[in-house]
Every structure is written in structure tokens, then in C-alpha cells.
Amino acid sequence: MMSQVDILKMFWSWGNHDLAYYKQYVGYNAITADQFKEITGVDYVA
């Protein structure tokens, strides 16, 4: 089974580069700010 981070990395690789989409997951505590940066390459700013 894929983790939430793996799924979001896959979405990123498919071209979904809408940072607001990924910020929602941090807001829901599904991923951490560090994982956000790992996926997007951008520091998380609330």
C-alpha cells in the first residue's frame, strides 16, 4: 500500500503543481511541513 506522501509525489510527477492542493494535506495533518517540502521542493508557509 502506498503512503499518503507516495501518492502526493505521484500526483506531483503527473504535473499537479498547485501548491494550495498540497497545503490542504498539511492543514489536515495528513503530511508534515517537511514532507510538503520533500514533495514540492518548496518550504511550507501557512
Side-chain angles (χ1 to χ4, degrees):
M1 175 174 271
M2 295 177 71
S3 72
Q4 188 65 55
V5 173
D6 291 333
I7 292 167
L8 292 176
K9 282 181 181 178
M10 185 172 57
F11 289 166
W12 184 268
S13 74
W14 289 346
N16 179 0
H17 296 167
D18 178 7
L19 294 179
Y21 175 80
Y22 300 94
K23 285 183 178 183
Q24 290 180 80
Y25 285 89
V26 179
Y28 300 148
N29 294 319
I31 64 171
T32 66
D34 288 340
Q35 289 168 325
F36 176 89
K37 182 167 184 171
E38 179 184 336
I39 294 164
T40 65
V42 178
D43 286 325
Y44 177 77
V45 179

